[in-house]
Amino acid sequence: MTDGLDDRTRAQLAFLVEADRLKTVLRANPLVDGSRRENTAEHSWHIALMALVLAERSDETVDLGHALALCLVHDLVEIDAGDTPPWDVEGRATKAERETAAADRLFALLPADQAATFRGWWDEFEAAATPEARLARAVDSLAPLVVNHANGGDLWREKGRTEADVRARNARLEAWAPDLVPVVDALVDDAVRKGWL
Amino acid sequence: MTDGLDDRTRAQLAFLVEADRLKTVLRANPLVDGSRRENTAEHSWHIALMALVLAERSDETVDLGHALALCLVHDLVEIDAGDTPPWDVEGRATKAERETAAADRLFALLPADQAATFRGWWDEFEAAATPEARLARAVDSLAPLVVNHANGGDLWREKGRTEADVRARNARLEAWAPDLVPVVDALVDDAVRKGWL
């Protein structure tokens, strides 16, 4: 990339420049104002902010900095694998394989010690096996519900999503953050009442 | 917003929905691939990721989770105040006033205790008076240099930015993160060599 930099710094900058591509990965749901679809980089920021605000709802002791790290790296694999929404049945069948290949390539751009740390964060998020991963998974699941509810349900109408679909999608919060389940229920109830689901 | 939610939750969701608007605030610099201008939400994600990767360059003991919180909230005020690039002399004259008014409005959407915490993080970032704030300020300053260098300098050409401009802009890293100064120097040297500055 440039002269005058040691190998460690070059590797760090190469990773950070490659990460910029996450800003071009489009997710299914729109922004709240409906002006365009959301990208995965700004979504990652949004769920980290949600973790900051909603961490108090975790029923476990959470290292918040650790949870934020998981939120920041959880979707980097979409640079190669793209976003795979729940209704993409074909895509879901190969999602794990595609995302693992992406993780193998992307985190290896970092210096070896950091590659191991970042890859470990991604594996941890996927496994949902720690309090921090459960909080990060919970806000990642809650975010589209909050955004689509605030938007008035454009995506739900477009994709023919039903109340049962959205409830099933968020049933996982029972295990990850039971104190957020009433929030899911209230948002879905309201969307049904308004005819958005 | 919805029935079935207590006041605290309503306030938290109102803040998180309002925060979505940061995705529509455009900054001056393009994405690395030049396809469009960057927005402030994805920029905030990018600098938090930079803090994760580059925290080891701080010469101070840094609470990384705290630094990430500062990165995530540092530009929320741009929802009301917009981005004010360094060459916007008129805008710079009123920046502090406009951003303070924005902070007064935006953080007050949160429950009072969280409003105080989040506002405190924003004040802390602005004052650069803690190790965490200095790291966050350093990556916030470094990010446009990394992105514009990787992009090949489109913005620098468009705005007629000179080597002296960019060096002056990043001179602040001497105080915030002296170990990142050689990174700035190498990127600027390389941009000059390639005729981008």
Side-chain angles (χ1 to χ4, degrees), chain A residues 80-109:
Chain A
D80 287 352
D83 179 55
T84 312
W87 53 85
D88 176 4
V89 178
E90 226 169 286
R92 300 302 275 194
T94 60
K95 180 173 186 277
E97 189 189 341
R98 289 181 290 112
E99 292 190 347
T100 300
D104 290 347
R105 183 184 79 79
L106 285 161
F107 295 122
L109 295 172

PDB file of all heavy atoms in Angstrom, chain A residues 80-109:
ATOM      1  N   ASP A  80     -18.231 -10.601   1.517  1.00  0.00           N
ATOM      2  CA  ASP A  80     -18.152 -11.652   0.493  1.00  0.00           C
ATOM      3  C   ASP A  80     -19.473 -12.393   0.312  1.00  0.00           C
ATOM      4  O   ASP A  80     -19.839 -12.764  -0.801  1.00  0.00           O
ATOM      5  CB  ASP A  80     -17.090 -12.699   0.880  1.00  0.00           C
ATOM      6  CG  ASP A  80     -15.675 -12.178   0.724  1.00  0.00           C
ATOM      7  OD1 ASP A  80     -15.490 -11.070   0.172  1.00  0.00           O
ATOM      8  OD2 ASP A  80     -14.739 -12.875   1.174  1.00  0.00           O
ATOM      9  N   ALA A  81     -20.180 -12.629   1.415  1.00  0.00           N
ATOM     10  CA  ALA A  81     -21.331 -13.542   1.372  1.00  0.00           C
ATOM     11  C   ALA A  81     -22.660 -12.837   1.130  1.00  0.00           C
ATOM     12  O   ALA A  81     -23.667 -13.487   0.839  1.00  0.00           O
ATOM     13  CB  ALA A  81     -21.405 -14.341   2.677  1.00  0.00           C
ATOM     14  N   GLY A  82     -22.678 -11.508   1.249  1.00  0.00           N
ATOM     15  CA  GLY A  82     -23.927 -10.763   1.087  1.00  0.00           C
ATOM     16  C   GLY A  82     -24.872 -11.005   2.246  1.00  0.00           C
ATOM     17  O   GLY A  82     -24.614 -11.843   3.120  1.00  0.00           O
ATOM     18  N   ASP A  83     -25.961 -10.242   2.274  1.00  0.00           N
ATOM     19  CA  ASP A  83     -26.985 -10.436   3.304  1.00  0.00           C
ATOM     20  C   ASP A  83     -27.926 -11.553   2.843  1.00  0.00           C
ATOM     21  O   ASP A  83     -28.257 -11.644   1.658  1.00  0.00           O
ATOM     22  CB  ASP A  83     -27.774  -9.141   3.505  1.00  0.00           C
ATOM     23  CG  ASP A  83     -28.859  -9.297   4.551  1.00  0.00           C
ATOM     24  OD1 ASP A  83     -28.534  -9.698   5.686  1.00  0.00           O
ATOM     25  OD2 ASP A  83     -30.041  -9.051   4.240  1.00  0.00           O
ATOM     26  N   THR A  84     -28.329 -12.405   3.759  1.00  0.00           N
ATOM     27  CA  THR A  84     -29.225 -13.518   3.422  1.00  0.00           C
ATOM     28  C   THR A  84     -30.469 -13.422   4.296  1.00  0.00           C
ATOM     29  O   THR A  84     -30.469 -13.899   5.433  1.00  0.00           O
ATOM     30  CB  THR A  84     -28.524 -14.877   3.663  1.00  0.00           C
ATOM     31  OG1 THR A  84     -27.215 -14.851   3.076  1.00  0.00           O
ATOM     32  CG2 THR A  84     -29.326 -16.007   3.034  1.00  0.00           C
ATOM     33  N   PRO A  85     -31.530 -12.783   3.807  1.00  0.00           N
ATOM     34  CA  PRO A  85     -32.719 -12.590   4.656  1.00  0.00           C
ATOM     35  C   PRO A  85     -33.427 -13.921   4.942  1.00  0.00           C
ATOM     36  O   PRO A  85     -33.216 -14.910   4.233  1.00  0.00           O
ATOM     37  CB  PRO A  85     -33.603 -11.656   3.824  1.00  0.00           C
ATOM     38  CG  PRO A  85     -33.122 -11.769   2.417  1.00  0.00           C
ATOM     39  CD  PRO A  85     -31.673 -12.153   2.485  1.00  0.00           C
ATOM     40  N   PRO A  86     -34.272 -13.934   5.988  1.00  0.00           N
ATOM     41  CA  PRO A  86     -34.883 -15.185   6.457  1.00  0.00           C
ATOM     42  C   PRO A  86     -35.727 -15.884   5.399  1.00  0.00           C
ATOM     43  O   PRO A  86     -35.886 -17.102   5.457  1.00  0.00           O
ATOM     44  CB  PRO A  86     -35.736 -14.755   7.652  1.00  0.00           C
ATOM     45  CG  PRO A  86     -35.624 -13.287   7.788  1.00  0.00           C
ATOM     46  CD  PRO A  86     -34.573 -12.798   6.870  1.00  0.00           C
ATOM     47  N   TRP A  87     -36.294 -15.113   4.435  1.00  0.00           N
ATOM     48  CA  TRP A  87     -37.171 -15.745   3.441  1.00  0.00           C
ATOM     49  C   TRP A  87     -36.395 -16.267   2.221  1.00  0.00           C
ATOM     50  O   TRP A  87     -37.002 -16.819   1.304  1.00  0.00           O
ATOM     51  CB  TRP A  87     -38.251 -14.774   2.991  1.00  0.00           C
ATOM     52  CG  TRP A  87     -37.688 -13.466   2.521  1.00  0.00           C
ATOM     53  CD1 TRP A  87     -37.218 -13.182   1.265  1.00  0.00           C
ATOM     54  CD2 TRP A  87     -37.515 -12.289   3.301  1.00  0.00           C
ATOM     55  NE1 TRP A  87     -36.753 -11.888   1.229  1.00  0.00           N
ATOM     56  CE2 TRP A  87     -36.933 -11.308   2.462  1.00  0.00           C
ATOM     57  CE3 TRP A  87     -37.791 -11.939   4.640  1.00  0.00           C
ATOM     58  CZ2 TRP A  87     -36.616 -10.024   2.912  1.00  0.00           C
ATOM     59  CZ3 TRP A  87     -37.476 -10.667   5.061  1.00  0.00           C
ATOM     60  CH2 TRP A  87     -36.895  -9.729   4.217  1.00  0.00           C
ATOM     61  N   ASP A  88     -35.056 -16.095   2.224  1.00  0.00           N
ATOM     62  CA  ASP A  88     -34.235 -16.601   1.116  1.00  0.00           C
ATOM     63  C   ASP A  88     -33.837 -18.046   1.433  1.00  0.00           C
ATOM     64  O   ASP A  88     -32.745 -18.325   1.917  1.00  0.00           O
ATOM     65  CB  ASP A  88     -33.006 -15.707   0.943  1.00  0.00           C
ATOM     66  CG  ASP A  88     -32.055 -16.219  -0.134  1.00  0.00           C
ATOM     67  OD1 ASP A  88     -32.376 -17.228  -0.803  1.00  0.00           O
ATOM     68  OD2 ASP A  88     -30.982 -15.617  -0.290  1.00  0.00           O
ATOM     69  N   VAL A  89     -34.766 -18.972   1.154  1.00  0.00           N
ATOM     70  CA  VAL A  89     -34.605 -20.370   1.586  1.00  0.00           C
ATOM     71  C   VAL A  89     -33.380 -21.001   0.934  1.00  0.00           C
ATOM     72  O   VAL A  89     -32.599 -21.695   1.595  1.00  0.00           O
ATOM     73  CB  VAL A  89     -35.882 -21.185   1.259  1.00  0.00           C
ATOM     74  CG1 VAL A  89     -35.697 -22.642   1.657  1.00  0.00           C
ATOM     75  CG2 VAL A  89     -37.074 -20.579   1.998  1.00  0.00           C
ATOM     76  N   GLU A  90     -33.202 -20.736  -0.352  1.00  0.00           N
ATOM     77  CA  GLU A  90     -32.043 -21.278  -1.060  1.00  0.00           C
ATOM     78  C   GLU A  90     -30.738 -20.729  -0.463  1.00  0.00           C
ATOM     79  O   GLU A  90     -29.805 -21.483  -0.205  1.00  0.00           O
ATOM     80  CB  GLU A  90     -32.132 -20.875  -2.531  1.00  0.00           C
ATOM     81  CG  GLU A  90     -31.870 -21.993  -3.519  1.00  0.00           C
ATOM     82  CD  GLU A  90     -32.257 -21.532  -4.925  1.00  0.00           C
ATOM     83  OE1 GLU A  90     -33.463 -21.449  -5.220  1.00  0.00           O
ATOM     84  OE2 GLU A  90     -31.329 -21.230  -5.697  1.00  0.00           O
ATOM     85  N   GLY A  91     -30.712 -19.434  -0.251  1.00  0.00           N
ATOM     86  CA  GLY A  91     -29.529 -18.790   0.314  1.00  0.00           C
ATOM     87  C   GLY A  91     -29.219 -19.289   1.719  1.00  0.00           C
ATOM     88  O   GLY A  91     -28.057 -19.451   2.097  1.00  0.00           O
ATOM     89  N   ARG A  92     -30.291 -19.534   2.495  1.00  0.00           N
ATOM     90  CA  ARG A  92     -30.083 -20.006   3.876  1.00  0.00           C
ATOM     91  C   ARG A  92     -29.373 -21.352   3.894  1.00  0.00           C
ATOM     92  O   ARG A  92     -28.634 -21.669   4.816  1.00  0.00           O
ATOM     93  CB  ARG A  92     -31.404 -20.138   4.650  1.00  0.00           C
ATOM     94  CG  ARG A  92     -32.218 -18.868   4.812  1.00  0.00           C
ATOM     95  CD  ARG A  92     -31.543 -17.728   5.492  1.00  0.00           C
ATOM     96  NE  ARG A  92     -31.606 -17.742   6.946  1.00  0.00           N
ATOM     97  CZ  ARG A  92     -31.295 -16.691   7.717  1.00  0.00           C
ATOM     98  NH1 ARG A  92     -30.909 -15.551   7.174  1.00  0.00           N
ATOM     99  NH2 ARG A  92     -31.349 -16.764   9.016  1.00  0.00           N
ATOM    100  N   ALA A  93     -29.607 -22.168   2.868  1.00  0.00           N
ATOM    101  CA  ALA A  93     -29.027 -23.514   2.828  1.00  0.00           C
ATOM    102  C   ALA A  93     -27.500 -23.464   2.714  1.00  0.00           C
ATOM    103  O   ALA A  93     -26.812 -24.375   3.188  1.00  0.00           O
ATOM    104  CB  ALA A  93     -29.620 -24.303   1.659  1.00  0.00           C
ATOM    105  N   THR A  94     -26.976 -22.405   2.100  1.00  0.00           N
ATOM    106  CA  THR A  94     -25.518 -22.310   1.905  1.00  0.00           C
ATOM    107  C   THR A  94     -24.902 -21.193   2.741  1.00  0.00           C
ATOM    108  O   THR A  94     -23.709 -20.913   2.633  1.00  0.00           O
ATOM    109  CB  THR A  94     -25.195 -22.030   0.421  1.00  0.00           C
ATOM    110  OG1 THR A  94     -25.827 -20.780   0.050  1.00  0.00           O
ATOM    111  CG2 THR A  94     -25.718 -23.143  -0.474  1.00  0.00           C
ATOM    112  N   LYS A  95     -25.713 -20.544   3.583  1.00  0.00           N
ATOM    113  CA  LYS A  95     -25.257 -19.364   4.326  1.00  0.00           C
ATOM    114  C   LYS A  95     -24.032 -19.666   5.192  1.00  0.00           C
ATOM    115  O   LYS A  95     -23.023 -18.957   5.127  1.00  0.00           O
ATOM    116  CB  LYS A  95     -26.417 -18.844   5.183  1.00  0.00           C
ATOM    117  CG  LYS A  95     -26.125 -17.605   6.024  1.00  0.00           C
ATOM    118  CD  LYS A  95     -27.409 -17.098   6.690  1.00  0.00           C
ATOM    119  CE  LYS A  95     -27.189 -15.781   7.418  1.00  0.00           C
ATOM    120  NZ  LYS A  95     -26.639 -15.935   8.777  1.00  0.00           N
ATOM    121  N   ALA A  96     -24.112 -20.712   5.981  1.00  0.00           N
ATOM    122  CA  ALA A  96     -23.024 -21.021   6.918  1.00  0.00           C
ATOM    123  C   ALA A  96     -21.720 -21.261   6.166  1.00  0.00           C
ATOM    124  O   ALA A  96     -20.660 -20.731   6.535  1.00  0.00           O
ATOM    125  CB  ALA A  96     -23.389 -22.239   7.769  1.00  0.00           C
ATOM    126  N   GLU A  97     -21.818 -22.010   5.090  1.00  0.00           N
ATOM    127  CA  GLU A  97     -20.634 -22.333   4.285  1.00  0.00           C
ATOM    128  C   GLU A  97     -20.040 -21.064   3.663  1.00  0.00           C
ATOM    129  O   GLU A  97     -18.821 -20.831   3.713  1.00  0.00           O
ATOM    130  CB  GLU A  97     -21.080 -23.314   3.193  1.00  0.00           C
ATOM    131  CG  GLU A  97     -19.967 -23.927   2.377  1.00  0.00           C
ATOM    132  CD  GLU A  97     -20.552 -24.711   1.197  1.00  0.00           C
ATOM    133  OE1 GLU A  97     -21.762 -25.068   1.247  1.00  0.00           O
ATOM    134  OE2 GLU A  97     -19.806 -24.953   0.236  1.00  0.00           O
ATOM    135  N   ARG A  98     -20.888 -20.226   3.073  1.00  0.00           N
ATOM    136  CA  ARG A  98     -20.413 -18.997   2.426  1.00  0.00           C
ATOM    137  C   ARG A  98     -19.808 -18.035   3.440  1.00  0.00           C
ATOM    138  O   ARG A  98     -18.789 -17.396   3.186  1.00  0.00           O
ATOM    139  CB  ARG A  98     -21.572 -18.320   1.672  1.00  0.00           C
ATOM    140  CG  ARG A  98     -22.019 -19.087   0.415  1.00  0.00           C
ATOM    141  CD  ARG A  98     -23.144 -18.378  -0.332  1.00  0.00           C
ATOM    142  NE  ARG A  98     -24.419 -18.405   0.380  1.00  0.00           N
ATOM    143  CZ  ARG A  98     -25.034 -17.349   0.906  1.00  0.00           C
ATOM    144  NH1 ARG A  98     -24.501 -16.147   0.782  1.00  0.00           N
ATOM    145  NH2 ARG A  98     -26.179 -17.480   1.546  1.00  0.00           N
ATOM    146  N   GLU A  99     -20.444 -17.943   4.593  1.00  0.00           N
ATOM    147  CA  GLU A  99     -19.948 -16.994   5.598  1.00  0.00           C
ATOM    148  C   GLU A  99     -18.656 -17.484   6.246  1.00  0.00           C
ATOM    149  O   GLU A  99     -17.793 -16.685   6.596  1.00  0.00           O
ATOM    150  CB  GLU A  99     -21.044 -16.717   6.641  1.00  0.00           C
ATOM    151  CG  GLU A  99     -22.220 -15.947   6.025  1.00  0.00           C
ATOM    152  CD  GLU A  99     -23.224 -15.426   7.046  1.00  0.00           C
ATOM    153  OE1 GLU A  99     -23.163 -15.854   8.231  1.00  0.00           O
ATOM    154  OE2 GLU A  99     -24.071 -14.592   6.664  1.00  0.00           O
ATOM    155  N   THR A 100     -18.514 -18.779   6.394  1.00  0.00           N
ATOM    156  CA  THR A 100     -17.272 -19.316   6.955  1.00  0.00           C
ATOM    157  C   THR A 100     -16.099 -19.059   5.998  1.00  0.00           C
ATOM    158  O   THR A 100     -15.002 -18.664   6.425  1.00  0.00           O
ATOM    159  CB  THR A 100     -17.419 -20.826   7.243  1.00  0.00           C
ATOM    160  OG1 THR A 100     -18.493 -20.999   8.176  1.00  0.00           O
ATOM    161  CG2 THR A 100     -16.140 -21.399   7.826  1.00  0.00           C
ATOM    162  N   ALA A 101     -16.339 -19.250   4.707  1.00  0.00           N
ATOM    163  CA  ALA A 101     -15.293 -18.952   3.712  1.00  0.00           C
ATOM    164  C   ALA A 101     -14.917 -17.478   3.768  1.00  0.00           C
ATOM    165  O   ALA A 101     -13.734 -17.107   3.684  1.00  0.00           O
ATOM    166  CB  ALA A 101     -15.779 -19.340   2.313  1.00  0.00           C
ATOM    167  N   ALA A 102     -15.913 -16.616   3.933  1.00  0.00           N
ATOM    168  CA  ALA A 102     -15.659 -15.173   4.018  1.00  0.00           C
ATOM    169  C   ALA A 102     -14.843 -14.841   5.267  1.00  0.00           C
ATOM    170  O   ALA A 102     -13.901 -14.035   5.218  1.00  0.00           O
ATOM    171  CB  ALA A 102     -16.985 -14.414   4.031  1.00  0.00           C
ATOM    172  N   ALA A 103     -15.193 -15.461   6.373  1.00  0.00           N
ATOM    173  CA  ALA A 103     -14.446 -15.225   7.619  1.00  0.00           C
ATOM    174  C   ALA A 103     -13.000 -15.673   7.462  1.00  0.00           C
ATOM    175  O   ALA A 103     -12.068 -14.989   7.908  1.00  0.00           O
ATOM    176  CB  ALA A 103     -15.121 -15.964   8.781  1.00  0.00           C
ATOM    177  N   ASP A 104     -12.809 -16.817   6.804  1.00  0.00           N
ATOM    178  CA  ASP A 104     -11.448 -17.319   6.578  1.00  0.00           C
ATOM    179  C   ASP A 104     -10.616 -16.291   5.811  1.00  0.00           C
ATOM    180  O   ASP A 104      -9.445 -16.070   6.115  1.00  0.00           O
ATOM    181  CB  ASP A 104     -11.489 -18.633   5.773  1.00  0.00           C
ATOM    182  CG  ASP A 104     -12.050 -19.798   6.594  1.00  0.00           C
ATOM    183  OD1 ASP A 104     -12.163 -19.656   7.826  1.00  0.00           O
ATOM    184  OD2 ASP A 104     -12.386 -20.840   5.987  1.00  0.00           O
ATOM    185  N   ARG A 105     -11.207 -15.662   4.812  1.00  0.00           N
ATOM    186  CA  ARG A 105     -10.458 -14.690   4.006  1.00  0.00           C
ATOM    187  C   ARG A 105     -10.287 -13.352   4.729  1.00  0.00           C
ATOM    188  O   ARG A 105      -9.182 -12.821   4.815  1.00  0.00           O
ATOM    189  CB  ARG A 105     -11.178 -14.436   2.672  1.00  0.00           C
ATOM    190  CG  ARG A 105     -10.395 -13.480   1.771  1.00  0.00           C
ATOM    191  CD  ARG A 105     -11.139 -13.128   0.489  1.00  0.00           C
ATOM    192  NE  ARG A 105     -12.168 -12.132   0.662  1.00  0.00           N
ATOM    193  CZ  ARG A 105     -11.955 -10.811   0.758  1.00  0.00           C
ATOM    194  NH1 ARG A 105     -10.719 -10.332   0.715  1.00  0.00           N
ATOM    195  NH2 ARG A 105     -12.952  -9.960   0.909  1.00  0.00           N
ATOM    196  N   LEU A 106     -11.382 -12.822   5.274  1.00  0.00           N
ATOM    197  CA  LEU A 106     -11.365 -11.434   5.745  1.00  0.00           C
ATOM    198  C   LEU A 106     -10.526 -11.251   7.002  1.00  0.00           C
ATOM    199  O   LEU A 106      -9.709 -10.331   7.086  1.00  0.00           O
ATOM    200  CB  LEU A 106     -12.792 -10.953   6.005  1.00  0.00           C
ATOM    201  CG  LEU A 106     -13.593 -10.656   4.738  1.00  0.00           C
ATOM    202  CD1 LEU A 106     -15.081 -10.634   5.031  1.00  0.00           C
ATOM    203  CD2 LEU A 106     -13.144  -9.311   4.166  1.00  0.00           C
ATOM    204  N   PHE A 107     -10.725 -12.093   7.986  1.00  0.00           N
ATOM    205  CA  PHE A 107     -10.005 -11.874   9.242  1.00  0.00           C
ATOM    206  C   PHE A 107      -8.517 -12.150   9.062  1.00  0.00           C
ATOM    207  O   PHE A 107      -7.683 -11.607   9.788  1.00  0.00           O
ATOM    208  CB  PHE A 107     -10.637 -12.704  10.365  1.00  0.00           C
ATOM    209  CG  PHE A 107     -12.044 -12.274  10.685  1.00  0.00           C
ATOM    210  CD1 PHE A 107     -13.117 -13.148  10.603  1.00  0.00           C
ATOM    211  CD2 PHE A 107     -12.308 -10.958  11.046  1.00  0.00           C
ATOM    212  CE1 PHE A 107     -14.421 -12.733  10.871  1.00  0.00           C
ATOM    213  CE2 PHE A 107     -13.598 -10.524  11.320  1.00  0.00           C
ATOM    214  CZ  PHE A 107     -14.662 -11.423  11.230  1.00  0.00           C
ATOM    215  N   ALA A 108      -8.164 -12.970   8.061  1.00  0.00           N
ATOM    216  CA  ALA A 108      -6.756 -13.278   7.793  1.00  0.00           C
ATOM    217  C   ALA A 108      -5.999 -12.075   7.226  1.00  0.00           C
ATOM    218  O   ALA A 108      -4.768 -12.117   7.118  1.00  0.00           O
ATOM    219  CB  ALA A 108      -6.648 -14.471   6.845  1.00  0.00           C
ATOM    220  N   LEU A 109      -6.721 -11.010   6.866  1.00  0.00           N
ATOM    221  CA  LEU A 109      -6.028  -9.791   6.423  1.00  0.00           C
ATOM    222  C   LEU A 109      -5.297  -9.131   7.579  1.00  0.00           C
ATOM    223  O   LEU A 109      -4.317  -8.418   7.375  1.00  0.00           O
ATOM    224  CB  LEU A 109      -7.038  -8.793   5.824  1.00  0.00           C
ATOM    225  CG  LEU A 109      -7.745  -9.230   4.533  1.00  0.00           C
ATOM    226  CD1 LEU A 109      -8.852  -8.233   4.186  1.00  0.00           C
ATOM    227  CD2 LEU A 109      -6.748  -9.327   3.379  1.00  0.00           C
TER     228      LEU A 109
END
